[in-house]
Amino acid sequence: ETMIGTTDVPVQHPGDAGIDADEIAYLCAAANRYFRQQITVADVTGTWSGIRALYDNGADEARTVTRDYHLDLDTRAAPILSMFGGKITTARALAEHALSRLGPELHFSARPVTRDRRLP
């Protein structure tokens, strides 16, 4: 199996997240530009959708907003780390960065343990 994606379709409410037939056709066509064995909608065995929470960096349009993540550590009381943005391809880097920010506040030393592990 192969995961192919992604598209960036804005939604007003989280419950509206989903993929439609046009997006599936678009992704099949995009993959078919690069492979000899062509795929069709009938080859799709499953889909998933999510909401990418973008960090408001003042951009005028969502498509120009950075896909990088932003961490905000509040230490006025118990430490609270808020994460904004990010993407699935930076999940491990984000986790390492988050733990390195929390470590000193919670008195532990963070070390990367998944960097070289294969993804499932």
Side-chain angles (χ1 to χ4, degrees):
E1 288 187 35
T2 301
M3 186 183 320
I4 300 172
T6 64
T7 61
D8 237 348
V9 177
V11 296
Q12 295 301 314
H13 306 285
D16 296 339
I19 189 165
D20 64 23
D22 288 342
E23 287 176 274
I24 293 172
Y26 166 82
L27 291 169
C28 288
N32 286 337
R33 286 195 298 268
Y34 299 97
F35 297 103
R36 272 180 249 162
Q37 183 175 340
Q38 301 289 284
I39 60 171
T40 68
V41 173
D43 296 312
V44 177
T45 61
T47 66
W48 60 273
S49 297
I51 303 292
R52 184 193 321 245
L54 300 176
Y55 179 66
D56 185 357
N57 64 351
D60 292 333
E61 297 180 35
R63 65 183 178 84
T64 61
V65 173
T66 180
R67 277 14 184 198
D68 291 338
Y69 60 84
H70 175 80
L71 301 177
D72 181 39
L73 180 60
D74 182 350
T75 58
R76 292 175 289 182
I80 298 174
L81 180 66
S82 299
M83 294 180 264
F84 305 94
K87 51 189 175 179
I88 198 166
T89 56
T90 61
R92 287 183 175 176
L94 187 153
E96 288 178 10
H97 191 189
L99 288 176
S100 72
R101 294 284 305 273
L102 283 173
E105 297 298 324
L106 299 176
H107 310 292
F108 71 85
S109 179
R111 60 185 179 82
V113 295
T114 65
R115 182 173 290 190
D116 296 324
R117 291 188 187 163
R118 292 182 63 152
L119 293 171

